[in-house]
Amino acid sequence: MWIDTHCHLDAHEFGNESVAQAALARQQGVGMIVLPAVEVANFSIVAQLAASVDNACYALGIHPIYVPHAEEDHLRVLREQVAAAMDDPRFVALGEIGLDFFIPMLTEPAMREKQIYFFREQLKIARDFDLPVLTHVRRSQDVVLKHVRQIRPNGGIAHAFNGSEQQAKGYIDLGFKLGFGGAMTFTRALQIRRLAAELPLEAIVLETDAPDISPSWVHPGRNSPDQVPRIGAVLAELRGMAVEQVAAATSANAKAVLPRMPVLM
Protein backbone atom coordinates (compact mmCIF):
# COMPACT_ATOMS: atom_id res chain seq x y z
CA MET A 1 0.00 0.00 0.00
CA TRP A 2 1.07 3.57 -0.78
CA ILE A 3 0.19 6.94 0.75
CA ASP A 4 0.12 10.25 -1.11
CA THR A 5 0.86 12.74 1.65
CA HIS A 6 0.08 15.85 -0.41
CA CYS A 7 -2.51 16.09 -3.19
CA HIS A 8 -4.83 18.94 -4.19
CA LEU A 9 -7.54 16.68 -5.53
CA ASP A 10 -10.07 19.50 -5.24
CA ALA A 11 -8.14 21.69 -7.71
CA HIS A 12 -10.04 22.98 -10.74
CA GLU A 13 -7.73 21.00 -13.04
CA PHE A 14 -9.58 17.85 -11.97
CA GLY A 15 -12.99 19.28 -12.84
CA ASN A 16 -15.60 16.75 -11.77
CA GLU A 17 -13.11 13.85 -11.81
CA SER A 18 -11.89 14.11 -8.20
CA VAL A 19 -13.82 11.09 -6.90
CA ALA A 20 -12.88 9.05 -9.97
CA GLN A 21 -9.21 10.00 -9.52
CA ALA A 22 -9.29 8.80 -5.91
CA ALA A 23 -10.82 5.52 -7.06
CA LEU A 24 -8.17 5.09 -9.76
CA ALA A 25 -5.46 5.72 -7.17
CA ARG A 26 -7.04 3.09 -4.92
CA GLN A 27 -6.90 0.60 -7.78
CA GLN A 28 -3.17 1.33 -8.10
CA GLY A 29 -2.62 0.59 -4.41
CA VAL A 30 -2.83 4.12 -2.98
CA GLY A 31 -4.56 3.48 0.32
CA MET A 32 -4.68 7.09 1.51
CA ILE A 33 -4.47 10.58 -0.03
CA VAL A 34 -3.95 13.66 2.12
CA LEU A 35 -5.87 16.71 0.86
CA PRO A 36 -4.50 20.02 2.19
CA ALA A 37 -6.67 23.12 2.17
CA VAL A 38 -5.21 26.38 0.85
CA GLU A 39 -7.69 29.06 1.97
CA VAL A 40 -10.81 29.53 4.06
CA ALA A 41 -12.97 29.17 0.94
CA ASN A 42 -11.96 25.54 0.40
CA PHE A 43 -11.98 24.28 4.00
CA SER A 44 -15.40 22.66 3.57
CA ILE A 45 -14.54 21.43 0.08
CA VAL A 46 -11.56 19.32 1.15
CA ALA A 47 -13.49 17.99 4.16
CA GLN A 48 -16.45 16.98 2.00
CA LEU A 49 -14.22 15.41 -0.65
CA ALA A 50 -12.37 13.39 2.00
CA ALA A 51 -15.70 12.18 3.36
CA SER A 52 -16.94 11.15 -0.09
CA VAL A 53 -14.21 8.59 -0.84
CA ASP A 54 -12.74 5.79 1.24
CA ASN A 55 -9.06 6.65 0.73
CA ALA A 56 -8.72 10.33 1.62
CA CYS A 57 -8.20 12.54 4.64
CA TYR A 58 -7.60 16.27 4.91
CA ALA A 59 -5.78 19.19 6.50
CA LEU A 60 -6.86 22.79 7.09
CA GLY A 61 -4.67 25.83 6.58
CA ILE A 62 -3.95 29.04 4.67
CA HIS A 63 -1.31 28.63 1.94
CA PRO A 64 1.25 31.45 1.62
CA ILE A 65 0.18 32.15 -1.96
CA TYR A 66 -3.30 32.95 -0.60
CA VAL A 67 -2.01 35.16 2.20
CA PRO A 68 -2.21 38.40 0.13
CA HIS A 69 -6.01 38.10 0.10
CA ALA A 70 -6.34 36.61 3.58
CA GLU A 71 -7.81 38.65 6.41
CA GLU A 72 -6.96 38.63 10.10
CA ASP A 73 -10.38 37.13 10.81
CA HIS A 74 -9.49 34.08 8.71
CA LEU A 75 -7.14 32.99 11.46
CA ARG A 76 -10.06 33.02 13.89
CA VAL A 77 -12.11 31.00 11.40
CA LEU A 78 -9.26 28.53 11.01
CA ARG A 79 -8.94 28.06 14.77
CA GLU A 80 -12.68 27.48 15.10
CA GLN A 81 -12.76 25.07 12.15
CA VAL A 82 -9.81 23.11 13.56
CA ALA A 83 -11.52 22.87 16.94
CA ALA A 84 -14.65 21.50 15.26
CA ALA A 85 -12.66 19.13 13.02
CA MET A 86 -10.90 17.46 15.94
CA ASP A 87 -13.92 15.15 16.19
CA ASP A 88 -13.57 14.16 12.53
CA PRO A 89 -11.31 11.10 12.09
CA ARG A 90 -10.45 12.24 8.58
CA PHE A 91 -8.86 15.48 9.81
CA VAL A 92 -5.14 14.85 10.25
CA ALA A 93 -3.04 18.05 10.16
CA LEU A 94 -2.74 21.80 9.77
CA GLY A 95 -1.83 22.75 6.25
CA GLU A 96 -0.86 23.77 3.74
CA ILE A 97 1.03 26.54 5.52
CA GLY A 98 4.49 28.01 5.11
CA LEU A 99 6.54 30.67 3.35
CA ASP A 100 7.07 31.37 -0.34
CA PHE A 101 9.98 33.68 -1.19
CA PHE A 102 10.02 32.67 -4.87
CA ILE A 103 7.07 34.62 -6.26
CA PRO A 104 8.22 38.26 -6.61
CA MET A 105 5.05 39.79 -5.19
CA LEU A 106 5.40 37.69 -2.06
CA THR A 107 8.96 38.88 -1.43
CA GLU A 108 8.00 42.56 -1.09
CA PRO A 109 8.69 43.66 2.51
CA ALA A 110 5.07 44.10 3.62
CA MET A 111 3.94 40.82 2.06
CA ARG A 112 6.95 38.96 3.43
CA GLU A 113 6.02 40.14 6.92
CA LYS A 114 2.37 39.21 6.40
CA GLN A 115 3.41 35.72 5.30
CA ILE A 116 5.56 35.29 8.39
CA TYR A 117 2.75 36.54 10.62
CA PHE A 118 0.21 34.11 9.14
CA PHE A 119 2.72 31.26 9.30
CA ARG A 120 3.52 31.87 12.96
CA GLU A 121 -0.12 32.21 13.94
CA GLN A 122 -0.95 28.95 12.18
CA LEU A 123 1.97 27.21 13.85
CA LYS A 124 0.49 28.34 17.18
CA ILE A 125 -2.86 26.80 16.26
CA ALA A 126 -1.11 23.53 15.38
CA ARG A 127 0.80 23.63 18.67
CA ASP A 128 -2.34 24.36 20.67
CA PHE A 129 -4.18 21.40 19.16
CA ASP A 130 -1.10 19.11 19.16
CA LEU A 131 -1.26 18.74 15.38
CA PRO A 132 1.45 18.16 12.77
CA VAL A 133 1.83 20.68 9.95
CA LEU A 134 2.19 20.38 6.17
CA THR A 135 4.66 23.08 5.19
CA HIS A 136 5.12 24.90 1.89
CA VAL A 137 8.78 25.90 1.65
CA ARG A 138 10.06 27.79 -1.42
CA ARG A 139 13.38 29.61 -1.07
CA SER A 140 12.59 29.86 2.62
CA GLN A 141 14.05 26.73 4.22
CA ASP A 142 16.04 28.42 6.97
CA VAL A 143 13.33 30.94 7.82
CA VAL A 144 10.69 28.20 8.06
CA LEU A 145 13.02 26.17 10.27
CA LYS A 146 13.61 29.17 12.54
CA HIS A 147 9.92 29.69 13.22
CA VAL A 148 9.19 25.99 13.61
CA ARG A 149 11.99 25.77 16.20
CA GLN A 150 10.46 28.67 18.11
CA ILE A 151 6.84 27.53 18.12
CA ARG A 152 7.21 23.72 17.87
CA PRO A 153 4.12 22.02 16.43
CA ASN A 154 3.79 18.27 16.78
CA GLY A 155 6.11 17.51 13.84
CA GLY A 156 4.97 17.59 10.25
CA ILE A 157 6.01 17.15 6.64
CA ALA A 158 8.32 19.46 4.69
CA HIS A 159 6.34 19.25 1.47
CA ALA A 160 8.27 19.06 -1.84
CA PHE A 161 11.58 19.13 -0.01
CA ASN A 162 14.30 20.84 -2.01
CA GLY A 163 16.84 21.94 0.56
CA SER A 164 20.33 20.97 1.64
CA GLU A 165 21.40 17.97 3.68
CA GLN A 166 21.90 20.26 6.68
CA GLN A 167 18.39 21.67 6.30
CA ALA A 168 17.02 18.16 5.95
CA LYS A 169 18.63 17.20 9.24
CA GLY A 170 17.14 20.34 10.81
CA TYR A 171 13.64 19.17 9.89
CA ILE A 172 14.33 15.62 10.99
CA ASP A 173 15.55 16.86 14.38
CA LEU A 174 12.20 18.65 14.78
CA GLY A 175 10.24 15.47 14.16
CA PHE A 176 9.45 16.20 10.52
CA LYS A 177 9.38 13.89 7.51
CA LEU A 178 10.50 15.07 4.08
CA GLY A 179 8.15 14.88 1.11
CA PHE A 180 9.59 13.56 -2.16
CA GLY A 181 7.62 13.36 -5.38
CA GLY A 182 7.72 14.10 -9.09
CA ALA A 183 10.83 16.30 -8.97
CA MET A 184 12.85 13.27 -7.86
CA THR A 185 12.05 11.46 -11.11
CA PHE A 186 14.05 13.86 -13.31
CA THR A 187 17.62 12.72 -13.87
CA ARG A 188 18.84 16.32 -13.87
CA ALA A 189 17.55 16.83 -10.31
CA LEU A 190 20.90 15.71 -8.89
CA GLN A 191 20.59 17.22 -5.42
CA ILE A 192 17.07 15.92 -4.78
CA ARG A 193 17.97 12.46 -6.06
CA ARG A 194 21.11 12.33 -3.93
CA LEU A 195 19.19 13.24 -0.80
CA ALA A 196 16.44 10.75 -1.64
CA ALA A 197 19.08 8.06 -1.94
CA GLU A 198 21.13 8.96 1.13
CA LEU A 199 18.83 10.38 3.81
CA PRO A 200 17.49 7.92 6.40
CA LEU A 201 14.56 6.05 4.87
CA GLU A 202 12.53 6.65 8.03
CA ALA A 203 12.62 10.39 7.23
CA ILE A 204 10.97 10.11 3.79
CA VAL A 205 7.33 10.18 2.70
CA LEU A 206 5.94 10.22 -0.82
CA GLU A 207 3.65 12.78 -2.41
CA THR A 208 2.38 13.99 -5.76
CA ASP A 209 1.27 17.61 -5.13
CA ALA A 210 -1.20 16.80 -7.91
CA PRO A 211 -2.13 18.40 -10.21
CA ASP A 212 1.33 20.00 -9.99
CA ILE A 213 4.96 18.72 -9.92
CA SER A 214 4.30 16.00 -12.49
CA PRO A 215 6.84 13.17 -12.73
CA SER A 216 9.07 13.00 -15.79
CA TRP A 217 6.82 10.58 -17.69
CA VAL A 218 3.78 12.84 -17.26
CA HIS A 219 5.40 16.29 -17.53
CA PRO A 220 4.10 18.75 -18.61
CA GLY A 221 0.72 17.09 -18.19
CA ARG A 222 -1.53 17.01 -15.14
CA ASN A 223 -0.23 15.03 -12.19
CA SER A 224 -2.55 12.65 -10.31
CA PRO A 225 -2.42 10.51 -7.14
CA ASP A 226 -2.28 7.22 -9.04
CA GLN A 227 1.33 8.12 -9.92
CA VAL A 228 2.56 7.46 -6.37
CA PRO A 229 3.53 3.79 -6.97
CA ARG A 230 5.68 4.66 -9.96
CA ILE A 231 7.27 7.58 -8.07
CA GLY A 232 7.93 5.13 -5.25
CA ALA A 233 9.59 2.77 -7.71
CA VAL A 234 12.04 5.55 -8.62
CA LEU A 235 12.87 5.99 -4.95
CA ALA A 236 13.41 2.23 -4.66
CA GLU A 237 15.76 2.30 -7.65
CA LEU A 238 17.74 5.22 -6.23
CA ARG A 239 18.16 3.43 -2.92
CA GLY A 240 18.75 -0.05 -4.37
CA MET A 241 15.75 -1.45 -2.52
CA ALA A 242 12.74 -3.58 -3.34
CA VAL A 243 9.65 -1.58 -4.27
CA GLU A 244 7.63 -3.42 -1.60
CA GLN A 245 10.08 -2.28 1.07
CA VAL A 246 9.78 1.34 0.01
CA ALA A 247 5.97 1.13 -0.04
CA ALA A 248 5.89 -0.32 3.48
CA ALA A 249 8.46 2.10 4.89
CA THR A 250 7.08 5.31 3.42
CA SER A 251 3.53 4.38 4.43
CA ALA A 252 4.69 3.65 7.98
CA ASN A 253 6.49 7.00 8.02
CA ALA A 254 3.33 8.82 6.91
CA LYS A 255 1.29 7.15 9.63
CA ALA A 256 3.93 8.00 12.22
CA VAL A 257 4.04 11.71 11.37
CA LEU A 258 0.25 11.97 10.91
CA PRO A 259 -0.87 10.03 13.99
CA ARG A 260 -4.55 10.69 13.43
CA MET A 261 -4.37 8.81 10.11
CA PRO A 262 -4.08 5.14 11.22
CA VAL A 263 -7.69 4.91 12.38
CA LEU A 264 -8.68 5.21 8.71
CA MET A 265 -6.34 2.52 7.42
Side-chain angles (χ1 to χ4, degrees):
M1 187 199 70
W2 302 91
I3 294 176
D4 184 349
T5 61
H6 202 106
C7 174
H8 297 284
L9 202 54
D10 63 306
H12 68 86
E13 287 90 343
F14 289 110
N16 60 358
E17 300 175 16
S18 298
V19 172
Q21 286 290 327
L24 177 60
R26 168 68 90 178
Q27 292 170 13
Q28 297 298 318
V30 181
M32 192 56 59
I33 305 167
V34 183
L35 312 176
V38 295
E39 61 174 332
V40 168
N42 84 325
F43 285 2
S44 62
I45 295 172
V46 295
Q48 291 167 8
L49 180 54
S52 68
V53 299
D54 66 357
N55 61 329
C57 54
Y58 69 99
L60 298 176
I62 301 170
H63 191 296
I65 291 177
Y66 289 82
V67 163
H69 306 292
E71 302 171 5
E72 175 77 23
D73 191 57
H74 291 176
L75 292 168
R76 177 193 60 80
V77 172
L78 174 61
R79 184 175 285 273
E80 292 178 354
Q81 291 286 322
V82 167
M86 293 301 290
D87 291 329
D88 184 349
R90 292 183 180 268
F91 173 63
V92 298
L94 204 85
E96 177 177 359
I97 68 174
L99 299 172
D100 192 310
F101 297 154
F102 174 76
I103 298 174
M105 179 191 71
L106 297 178
T107 64
E108 295 173 2
M111 197 52 60
R112 183 184 176 102
E113 289 307 308
K114 187 178 181 182
Q115 276 197 74
I116 291 173
Y117 173 73
F118 268 76
F119 181 45
R120 287 182 62 87
E121 292 303 305
Q122 291 183 94
L123 286 175
K124 292 173 186 175
I125 295 171
R127 179 194 62 194
D128 293 348
F129 287 93
D130 198 29
L131 289 167
V133 295
L134 308 178
T135 60
H136 175 99
V137 190
R138 262 209 309 189
R139 294 193 181 172
S140 57
Q141 301 281 358
D142 290 332
V143 184
V144 166
L145 278 167
K146 180 184 82 169
H147 294 296
V148 170
R149 286 192 184 105
Q150 291 176 355
I151 297 174
R152 292 293 182 106
N154 183 19
I157 297 173
H159 153 59
F161 184 73
N162 188 20
S164 67
E165 184 174 0
Q166 181 180 3
Q167 289 163 338
K169 290 178 178 177
Y171 282 108
I172 294 167
D173 289 344
L174 290 165
F176 275 61
K177 307 298 184 187
L178 309 173
F180 285 86
M184 175 182 62
T185 67
F186 290 86
T187 56
R188 66 178 181 273
L190 300 179
Q191 169 78 346
I192 294 175
R193 288 165 71 88
R194 182 182 68 80
L195 290 174
E198 297 178 0
L199 288 171
L201 182 59
E202 58 268 23
I204 294 175
V205 294
L206 295 174
E207 60 173 55
T208 60
D209 197 30
D212 299 321
I213 315 186
S214 299
S216 58
W217 52 87
V218 174
H219 183 78
R222 182 189 72 183
N223 200 5
S224 53
D226 62 294
Q227 298 300 320
V228 171
R230 195 166 170 187
I231 292 170
V234 172
L235 179 60
E237 182 180 1
L238 289 171
R239 299 185 70 94
M241 296 177 60
V243 172
E244 294 78 10
Q245 288 179 295
V246 167
T250 55
S251 294
N253 296 342
K255 292 179 187 179
V257 77
L258 303 174
R260 291 173 60 90
M261 181 186 286
V263 299
L264 299 174
M265 307 303 291

